[in-house]
Amino acid sequence: MEEKRRGILKSVVIYAIILAGIFLVIHMLGSPAKKSDPIRLTYNELLDWVESDLKVDRGLSGGNETHTIQSVIIVENELVGARNGSKTALSTSDYDFRCTLPSQERFYDDVKSVYEKVLGETVSPTEYTFTFAAQNPETVGWWVELIPIIVMVVMFALMMLFIMRAQSAGPNKGAASFIHGRTKLTDPSKNVVRYGDVAGADEEKEELKEVVDFLKAPEKYTKVGARIPKGVLLIGPPGTGKTLLAKAVAGEAGVPFFTISGSEFMEMYVGVGASRVRDLFDQAKRNAPSIIFIDEIDAIGRQRGTGLGGSHDEREQTLNQLLVEMDGFTPNAGVIVMAATNRSDILDPALLRPGRFDRQVLVNYPDVKGREEILKVHSRGKPLAKNVDLHLIAVITPYFTGADLANVMNEAALLTARTNQTEITMDTIEESINRVSMGLQKKSHVIPPNDKKLVAYHEAGHAIVAYVIPECERVQEITTIPRGMAGGYTKYMPDESTRYITSARLRARIASAMGGLCAEKLVFGDVTTGSTGDIKQATNTARAMVTEYGMSDLGPIFLSGDHEIFLGKNFQQTSAGLSEEMNRQVDQQVHKLLDEGEQRATSILTENRAKLDAIVGVLMEKEHINREEFEAFMEDRPYNPERAEALRFHPDAPKPQAPAPEEA
């Protein structure tokens, strides 16, 4: 860039010099001949001209002659002048004739003698003084005449400079801006993110400590012949803190941190992305040791030669250049590439091989302990009430990511300020959790009684089926108050005791999802569009059981393939090469699982019709039922407020045991 600026400045100077020479030559050639070759009069000829003009003035010339002299200037002993009709103005640099005077006093005396000779009488000096342009004008230097030329040269130079800068930084931004891209460099002194700011990822931080240690003391590893991973790929669901973890690595290592999104390599012109990759690695090498972080690398790292339209020249060239830069003929000493994606399944195999992204770090959903640590980080600087227990909040937020928990604490602070409170309470945090997971509560909406009753039966149907089937998740809350896109909802508490899901639990989920539809059909004899989401959820679960998990009569066979053909896979892979007969059997098995779930839910609701009506009656009155109140209905026991409060924030609390019978 600096060399380009110097080249532009050099060109402007050369053009300015050439232009100045042209104007100077034009000025010299365009000067009047009278200035360089004026009429040189003798002193006597000058007096004859004065006499002739006097006769014309006094009418003594016979009327056939005209004035010879229009105006004169006398400077010391030099007289210059313009002849009649040749000039409208006179200066010392513009004249027609000139004459050297013996002296000004003698000239005036001789002019007096001419007047007395022609007029025949003695005259005073005021009578013979003819028109002088100036008696003693100031002499104008030659450099004054160059001022217009200099001004024009400067204006031309500025214009040329403006045009060149506009060409290099205009709407098209020139070729240089295409090459440099939008890479952002974070100075080590300004990167304040450290490992202490990343919570709930202890194993991930431990995995990356080698990278930090190598950047700080590379000789420790090179001495024993070790090679640090050239690339580290962070894989995980959105919001789990992949980018934050990369920032922390750069902050701990204290090295320059280059960041760019995968989509920022791409342009409409083929080859631009590859140029930006080369430029990015050149910058990183000049600042080595350094870290390059490519966010959402799947934008350029998708498998080559696949997709609905086949290949994509610009993306594939960009990927090829990235592969060469990471592990090609030119070594990248001191440069570590980190990248993040939540779609590692579509990345090109050449990108994931050892020597490029040697190490893959899974950044998954945090567990209870991790969520508690994350909540501690995001509760800093927030006034928490005494009843706030971050561990309990972590328990009631299963499968929440770090971004979700940060949003929960921020929403709680906003609600506290909105209600003019000074401390964040547990109730406020509970409401913020519901807002983040399901949306804003719409208490002001006027719901017709028939719709409210329909929603009550629908949600009560879900809850009763989930309670009766042991494999279902625990019901935590039932409400008919609209929230988000839902007219009401039944809130479950997922079980995090195991990562693996059994076939019985999946069948229980299908039956529970069908509970609302079956309740509508059982009570009203018809179904509504409110069950659309439930049917979709049940169908997806059933199809996955048949085609992916091997949990059907077809046996343990994988029949699914990859559904998203636009994300780096071939069009033919969607059907996975299944025959028409196999597709028919898959559909039959899916229908069988859905029918079994519907029949199971209908049977449970028929047996518990009285409890279904009782729960709906409470919902019509209170619009909300907590877990203890719901379980009290189902167990035919009195409502226990203390247990309700315990189950509210302790969803893992055991059910109370029935009292022992009294002895006779």
Side-chain angles (χ1 to χ4, degrees):
M1 182 62 71
E2 188 65 27
E3 294 178 358
K4 182 177 179 181
R5 291 179 180 174
R6 285 198 297 267
I8 294 175
L9 183 60
K10 182 179 179 181
S11 301
V12 171
V13 172
I14 292 175
Y15 286 131
I17 294 175
I18 294 174
L19 186 64
I22 293 173
F23 276 113
L24 185 60
V25 171
I26 292 175
H27 181 74
M28 294 176 63
L29 295 177
S31 299
K34 297 175 183 178
K35 178 178 179 181
S36 58
D37 190 21
I39 299 175
R40 171 66 70 173
L41 298 178
T42 63
Y43 184 66
N44 290 331
E45 288 175 340
L46 176 62
L47 294 177
D48 291 340
W49 283 20
V50 173
E51 182 178 350
S52 174
D53 282 356
L54 179 60
K55 289 180 179 180
V56 173
D57 289 338
R58 300 305 172 90
L60 302 176
S61 61
N64 297 325
E65 297 180 5
T66 59
H67 286 86
T68 303
I69 302 173
Q70 179 179 354
S71 59
V72 298
I73 294 176
I74 298 176
V75 180
E76 295 181 354
N77 292 335
E78 187 73 17
L79 180 143
V80 295
R83 289 178 292 180
N84 186 36
S86 64
K87 301 290 178 184
T88 58
L90 185 64
S91 67
T92 55
S93 61
D94 191 10
Y95 51 85
D96 292 328
F97 64 89
R98 64 186 302 173
C99 178
T100 303
L101 304 178
S103 65
Q104 291 190 26
E105 292 78 5
R106 181 179 172 182
F107 175 66
Y108 291 134
D109 291 341
D110 291 339
V111 171
K112 178 181 178 183
S113 300
V114 170
Y115 268 65
E116 290 177 349
K117 174 185 174 183
V118 174
L119 300 178
E121 58 183 15
T122 302
V123 295
S124 63
T126 57
E127 297 182 17
Y128 63 79
T129 302
F130 51 87
T131 304
F132 290 100
Q135 287 289 339
N136 292 296
E138 296 181 359
T139 304
V140 180
W142 61 270
W143 56 270
V144 177
E145 299 180 6
L146 293 178
I147 292 178
I149 301 176
I150 295 173
V151 172
M152 294 184 66
V153 170
V154 172
M155 291 181 63
F156 176 78
L158 293 176
M159 181 183 67
M160 292 293 296
L161 183 62
F162 175 78
I163 292 174
M164 291 182 179
R165 291 186 65 181
Q167 289 178 346
S168 62
N172 295 328
K173 298 185 179 179
S177 64
F178 273 86
I179 295 174
H180 290 296
R182 301 170 180 85
T183 306
K184 304 173 184 65
L185 171 60
T186 302
D187 189 84
S189 60
K190 296 181 180 179
N191 189 0
V192 297
V193 182
R194 297 293 185 270
Y195 272 168
D197 300 310
V198 182
D202 296 337
E203 291 79 8
E204 292 82 353
K205 290 189 289 186
E206 191 68 29
E207 189 79 8
L208 295 172
K209 277 186 178 180
E210 287 182 6
V211 176
V212 176
D213 198 19
F214 172 79
L215 292 171
K216 286 183 176 180
E219 63 279 355
K220 173 182 175 182
Y221 294 88
T222 57
K223 186 183 300 183
V224 296
R227 179 182 62 82
I228 201 69
K230 292 184 178 180
V232 178
L233 183 63
L234 304 177
I235 305 171
T240 51
K242 299 182 293 293
T243 304
L244 183 64
L245 193 58
K247 286 183 180 180
V249 171
E252 290 288 341
V255 297
F257 186 56
F258 294 88
T259 59
I260 188 171
S261 172
S263 61
E264 291 178 333
F265 287 107
M266 307 294 288
E267 287 289 349
M268 64 181 293
Y269 302 107
V270 177
V272 174
S275 299
R276 289 180 174 176
V277 171
R278 289 191 293 269
D279 178 71
L280 173 61
F281 277 85
D282 287 341
Q283 294 183 56
K285 291 175 187 177
R286 289 195 297 267
N287 293 272
S290 60
I291 293 177
I292 294 175
F293 179 68
I294 304 175
D295 200 8
E296 305 297 343
I297 195 174
D298 50 275
I300 59 171
R302 296 177 187 174
Q303 186 173 349
R304 290 167 290 182
T306 56
L308 184 61
S311 63
H312 187 295
D313 288 340
E314 167 63 355
R315 177 170 53 80
E316 292 193 3
Q317 286 194 22
T318 305
L319 175 58
N320 291 338
Q321 187 63 46
L322 179 61
L323 297 175
V324 172
E325 292 290 344
M326 291 187 68
D327 187 21
F329 290 102
T330 305
N332 291 325
V335 177
I336 295 178
V337 181
M338 299 185 68
T341 181
N342 49 22
R343 289 303 312 271
S344 60
D345 56 314
I346 65 172
L347 294 181
D348 195 278
L351 195 62
L352 302 176
R353 73 159 176 83
R356 292 195 174 114
F357 282 112
D358 312 79
R359 185 167 298 179
Q360 299 180 24
V361 179
L362 177 62
V363 187
N364 212 336
Y365 292 103
D367 56 10
V368 175
K369 180 182 176 183
R371 292 197 296 271
E372 184 178 354
E373 293 176 355
I374 294 172
L375 288 169
K376 289 179 181 178
V377 172
H378 293 295
S379 61
R380 294 173 185 170
K382 294 181 175 64
L384 301 180
K386 294 181 179 180
N387 68 333
V388 174
D389 189 335
L390 297 181
H391 174 73
L392 299 181
I393 299 173
V395 170
I396 62 177
T397 52
Y399 299 108
F400 271 49
T401 65
D404 293 331
L405 296 173
N407 197 18
V408 165
M409 296 307 297
N410 185 61
E411 283 289 340
L414 292 175
L415 287 172
T416 301
R418 193 177 304 157
T419 55
N420 297 320
Q421 298 179 4
T422 57
E423 290 182 331
I424 300 175
T425 63
M426 203 68 175
D427 293 335
T428 306
I429 294 177
E430 184 182 19
E431 173 61 24
S432 66
I433 292 172
N434 291 332
R435 283 196 176 201
V436 170
S437 57
M438 288 174 286
L440 181 66
Q441 194 176 53
K442 303 173 182 178
K443 290 184 177 181
S444 61
H445 282 207
V446 178
I447 303 175
N450 292 337
D451 289 354
K452 188 175 181 180
K453 185 177 182 180
L454 176 69
V455 172
Y457 271 104
H458 184 100
E459 301 304 333
H462 285 307
I464 292 175
V465 174
Y467 177 85
V468 172
I469 301 177
E471 292 83 7
C472 280
E473 286 86 358
R474 301 182 302 275
V475 175
Q476 189 70 14
E477 178 185 2
I478 311 170
T479 181
T480 58
I481 301 175
R483 186 182 286 274
M485 298 294 294
Y489 64 89
T490 300
K491 183 178 179 181
Y492 302 94
M493 185 57 58
D495 185 8
E496 293 184 285
S497 60
T498 178
R499 295 178 57 184
Y500 303 102
I501 304 176
T502 63
S503 173
R505 176 170 290 188
L506 291 176
R507 294 173 187 271
R509 286 182 179 178
I510 294 176
S512 176
M514 290 294 186
L517 174 72
C518 295
E520 293 179 12
K521 189 181 296 185
L522 179 65
V523 176
F524 301 100
D526 199 358
V527 294
T528 65
T529 56
S531 302
T532 303
D534 300 330
I535 296 174
K536 181 179 179 181
Q537 177 186 351
T539 303
N540 291 339
T541 302
R543 185 167 295 276
M545 291 175 64
V546 175
T547 60
E548 296 181 33
Y549 307 146
M551 297 177 179
S552 69
D553 295 341
L554 296 179
I557 180 172
F558 185 81
L559 304 172
S560 175
D562 292 292
H563 300 283
E564 293 155 332
I565 60 175
F566 297 98
L567 296 177
K569 298 297 179 182
N570 287 326
F571 183 83
Q572 292 81 2
Q573 286 180 331
T574 301
S575 61
L578 300 182
S579 64
E580 292 184 4
E581 175 62 23
M582 182 60 72
N583 278 320
R584 186 182 65 81
Q585 293 184 32
V586 168
D587 291 339
Q588 288 178 349
Q589 292 297 316
V590 172
H591 279 289
K592 180 180 178 181
L593 290 172
L594 294 176
D595 289 342
E596 288 178 356
E598 183 179 5
Q599 293 174 9
R600 190 177 184 184
T602 301
S603 175
I604 292 173
L605 293 175
T606 303
E607 294 175 1
N608 294 273
R609 175 61 189 271
K611 294 179 179 178
L612 175 66
D613 294 335
I615 293 174
V616 169
V618 177
L619 284 174
M620 293 294 291
E621 179 183 354
K622 299 174 56 177
E623 298 183 332
H624 178 273
I625 295 178
N626 58 37
R627 175 181 169 182
E628 163 60 15
E629 194 168 5
F630 170 69
E631 291 182 354
F633 270 102
M634 299 303 297
E635 297 168 8
D636 294 323
R637 59 177 175 80
Y639 173 68
N640 186 347
E642 295 181 358
R643 185 171 185 270
E645 189 66 19
L647 291 177
R648 178 185 176 189
F649 298 122
H650 295 266
D652 292 329
K655 294 181 180 180
Q657 296 181 358
E662 297 181 0
E663 294 182 1

